[in-house]
Amino acid sequence: MKHPVLLLFAILLSFAVKAQNFKYAFVTDTHVGSSTGEEDLTRTVADLNGLKDIDFVIITGDITEMGTNNELKLAKDILSKLNKPYHIIPGNHDTGWSESGGVNFIKEFGGDKFIFDHNGYRFIACASGPYVRMSDGHIPRDATVWLDSVLKATPKNMPIVFANHYPLDNSLDNWYEATDELKKYNIQYAICGHGHNNHPYNFEGIEATMGRSNLRAKDSIGGYNIVTMTRDSAYFQVKKPTQDILPVWRKIALKTFLADKKKYDRPDFAINNKYAGTKEVWTYHSNANVVNTPTYASNNVIFGNSLGLVEALNKNTGKKVWTFKTKGAIYSSPVAVNNMVILGSGDGTIYALNAKTGKEVWHKETSNSVLGSPVVNGQQVYIGGSDNTFRALDVKTGNEIWAFKEVEGTIVGKPLIYKGKIIFGSWGRHLYALDINTGNLLWKWNNGQGNRMFSPAMVTPVAYSGIVYIAAPDRYLTAIDANNGSTLWRNKEATVRESIGQSADSTIIYGKTMQDEIVAYKAQAQDPGVLWRYNVGFGYEHVPSMLIEKDGKVFFGTKNGVIYAIDPKQQSTVWAHKIDNSMINTVNVVDGKNLVVSTMDGKVVWLNANK
């Protein structure tokens, strides 16, 4: 008879714990580094310290304006003055322009996701990117793997509150991976930021709330939300520093979650049936994001992921051959030379690895993350880092030949070698041209934009007949005199953004527009206007994936996981293939029928097209 009594007591005790009221603060979009971000967050911290009935604070991303190391340190210094626990995740501003590729957010705050229990509730939060590249929001591959594991360890009846920077809708390209999992459990509601306004949502039956930005915006003071949890409801109220709490603006009923039977939109792979001749010879799914272009050497396909792991797959089978662990996220596309691969890491090191075995040949340490991609010319490798330095190293030894230390901002792109010059951009507003032999500055160019977000950073320059072509986030195709850095012309007719390429004979410049079209321009010193337009039908588009021409076809990827091959002479689609629903990195075109493709969600594919 004792056991039923004890069981009843345990149930009542559990119910009493869950029924106990508590409050927490919901702060988001603090944007430290913007004009008022530091002051607004400082005021909020002081205000929270004066509230005795707040158990903890949740902060849902965009902690900083540009994700710089200094901004992250300042935000950490301010938040460290809180007299109550806080739990924090990054937003797109913390990762998209990050000089460390998100590494320093983790260093400062101890992680980019969290899980904790309070009064019978389980609070779970994931990061959401994008990282270093412009793309849709994306819950990182390592975070979805982690989320799956923590949910499997969660009792089915335990109430869950989920936090993310983005709403759980298609502003995240893999929103369904989170919602499909959460709906199997007792999800109570989700909270998010990103939109800077208080807003009620319902995501496929999951109640949700977007919180206002902590910034004052057009007001005289910023603000945040206080969430009151009772036995049967969650109440949201705005609190402005030094002022009385405002009335309840949002109420969510707390009850056992029951998933409905409705069918919701999911990514459509029907295009693969239309072009059935294009096949995935093999597919490998890494446990973290892959935001770089794989190379292949010594019969291996080699790339790095956002957990700092370099992976090598057998070129024929896709089976893992070796791995090499660095201590920071990798966004650098490896280059193959002399049976080695060379790449940079977020741990601040440039590595040369044996392409066959993965053994380290040499490494070069720097004072900040190395997110840029290397290029090789003869026995020298050239690569830029986040320490405001662009370097030339000896391929065999890694010894520094020269270093240009006057780069403004972070280097994340791939340089161009052209007529004795090495040309590259950064998130410091400028495109640079250095003497390839000495590292001396020959010229630097900017588009006149004071805002760093319009910098020619994620561009891969191309050149022909003494002219360098780029497309920055300002949506112009720009022609620059390679000799002196002067602007020859700028064309915004087609709103090309970052993604360009050139024909095999270099006489045509291709661009990918932000809506459906591939466009072409004649490579010449006077503005030629658009030579032709082809409506491919890929929809809204903004990812910086280059266009590569080989064997009479132009290959490129999109933000929703589709690779296209088009005929530039006929302006027609030869084939298309959808791999997943995330950003396609610049593809590695082996020949006109074979491609090595990687996606932000960590898929690496050998693709073969018989057409």
Side-chain angles (χ1 to χ4, degrees), residues 29 54 65 118 205 303-304 352 400 430 452 455 482 515 563 605:
D29 295 270
I54 300 298
E65 180 68 4
H118 189 81
F303 57 93
E400 189 171 277
H430 290 94
R452 289 175 293 172
S455 298
Q515 187 68 48
I563 304 126
V605 174

Side-chain angles (χ1 to χ4, degrees), residues 520-587:
Y521 309 78
K522 285 186 177 180
Q524 62 185 50
Q526 296 79 36
D527 185 349
V530 175
L531 176 64
W532 54 256
R533 297 173 178 261
Y534 171 50
N535 189 326
V536 184
F538 46 69
Y540 174 67
E541 175 61 27
H542 53 221
V543 303
S545 297
M546 292 289 287
L547 290 85
I548 310 295
E549 180 174 323
K550 202 156 193 174
D551 293 349
K553 293 183 281 293
V554 175
F555 303 89
F556 63 92
T558 65
K559 74 181 183 69
N560 59 357
V562 181
I563 304 126
Y564 289 89
I566 68 167
D567 183 328
K569 291 184 178 179
Q570 301 296 323
Q571 287 115 61
S572 62
T573 298
V574 180
W575 58 259
H577 186 84
K578 186 174 177 68
I579 291 178
D580 62 22
N581 205 52
S582 69
M583 178 189 79
I584 300 285
N585 300 298
T586 297
V587 296

Side-chain angles (χ1 to χ4, degrees), residues 448-504:
Q449 291 278 358
N451 189 333
R452 289 175 293 172
M453 295 179 186
F454 291 102
S455 298
M458 202 50 246
V459 303
T460 302
V462 298
Y464 175 69
S465 190
I467 303 171
V468 176
Y469 299 89
I470 65 165
D474 62 1
R475 307 178 190 183
Y476 285 87
L477 180 69
T478 301
I480 301 165
D481 190 313
N483 293 315
N484 57 31
S486 63
T487 302
L488 296 176
W489 52 265
R490 283 162 58 74
N491 185 300
K492 201 177 184 180
E493 185 180 349
T495 63
V496 173
R497 177 177 178 141
E498 296 173 306
S499 298
I500 63 171
Q502 62 188 147
S503 58

Side-chain angles (χ1 to χ4, degrees), residues 154-284:
T154 299
K156 287 285 187 178
N157 62 344
M158 188 173 194
I160 294 170
V161 176
F162 183 75
N164 193 261
H165 178 64
Y166 281 83
L168 284 176
D169 58 18
N170 60 12
S171 56
L172 284 167
D173 59 32
N174 59 344
W175 83 95
Y176 53 92
E177 292 184 327
T179 55
D180 285 353
E181 286 301 307
L182 290 168
K183 287 191 292 185
K184 298 174 184 176
Y185 294 83
N186 192 17
I187 177 71
Q188 298 298 291
Y189 63 88
I191 57 174
C192 67
H194 192 60
H196 286 219
N197 291 296
N198 287 328
H199 191 81
Y201 281 102
N202 185 290
F203 300 125
E204 301 183 6
I206 300 172
E207 292 293 337
T209 301
M210 176 184 285
R212 59 153 294 165
S213 168
N214 190 65
L215 295 173
R216 70 189 70 175
K218 296 179 181 179
D219 202 347
S220 59
I221 195 167
Y224 58 97
N225 275 276
I226 298 290
V227 184
T228 301
M229 301 283 287
T230 70
R231 176 179 171 179
D232 58 7
S233 299
Y235 300 93
F236 292 76
Q237 297 171 270
V238 169
K239 178 72 171 69
K240 297 182 179 181
T242 73
Q243 296 183 11
D244 292 339
I245 192 167
L246 296 175
V248 172
W249 69 270
R250 170 76 160 140
K251 175 185 175 182
I252 296 175
L254 303 176
K255 56 188 177 182
T256 300
F257 180 80
L258 296 174
D260 59 39
K261 304 299 182 182
K262 294 180 182 178
K263 287 189 176 181
Y264 294 96
D265 289 339
R266 292 293 181 265
D268 184 358
F269 287 76
I271 197 167
N272 294 353
N273 298 325
K274 183 177 180 180
Y275 300 100
T278 301
K279 301 289 187 182
E280 297 178 19
V281 178
W282 53 255
T283 300
Y284 174 81

Side-chain angles (χ1 to χ4, degrees), residues 246-443:
L246 296 175
V248 172
W249 69 270
R250 170 76 160 140
K251 175 185 175 182
I252 296 175
L254 303 176
K255 56 188 177 182
T256 300
F257 180 80
L258 296 174
D260 59 39
K261 304 299 182 182
K262 294 180 182 178
K263 287 189 176 181
Y264 294 96
D265 289 339
R266 292 293 181 265
D268 184 358
F269 287 76
I271 197 167
N272 294 353
N273 298 325
K274 183 177 180 180
Y275 300 100
T278 301
K279 301 289 187 182
E280 297 178 19
V281 178
W282 53 255
T283 300
Y284 174 81
H285 206 172
S286 182
N287 279 336
N289 285 7
V290 174
V291 189
N292 55 79
T293 300
T295 190
Y296 59 94
S298 299
N299 208 42
N300 292 330
V301 172
I302 303 165
F303 57 93
N305 71 23
S306 60
L307 291 181
L309 190 69
V310 184
E311 300 182 85
L313 312 177
N314 181 277
K315 176 181 167 183
N316 300 313
T317 66
K319 301 296 184 183
K320 191 182 295 185
V321 177
W322 57 257
T323 62
F324 178 87
K325 189 74 170 70
T326 77
K327 297 178 181 178
I330 297 172
Y331 297 96
S332 176
S333 298
V335 64
V337 58
N338 295 355
N339 298 313
M340 297 185 298
V341 287
I342 302 172
L343 76 166
S345 169
D347 65 9
T349 305
I350 302 159
Y351 294 93
L353 308 176
N354 184 295
K356 186 175 182 179
T357 66
K359 297 286 180 63
E360 181 180 305
V361 179
W362 55 257
H363 72 267
K364 168 70 176 176
E365 294 181 2
T366 76
S367 61
N368 206 341
S369 297
V370 183
L371 309 180
S373 296
V375 293
V376 169
N377 184 46
Q379 292 304 305
Q380 295 183 21
V381 59
Y382 305 87
I383 188 168
S386 296
D387 58 351
N388 309 112
T389 303
F390 190 91
R391 292 177 170 85
L393 306 178
D394 184 275
V395 164
K396 292 181 179 178
T397 65
N399 291 336
E400 189 171 277
I401 297 167
W402 55 254
F404 176 74
K405 300 181 178 181
E406 300 171 20
V407 179
E408 179 188 346
T410 303
I411 301 168
V412 294
K414 182 179 179 180
L416 167 71
I417 295 173
Y418 184 67
K419 291 191 173 181
K421 302 175 182 66
I422 184 94
I423 301 167
F424 61 93
S426 78
W427 281 118
R429 301 179 296 115
H430 290 94
L431 188 77
Y432 297 84
L434 309 181
D435 184 295
I436 198 167
N437 296 313
T438 65
N440 293 332
L441 177 67
L442 299 176
W443 52 258

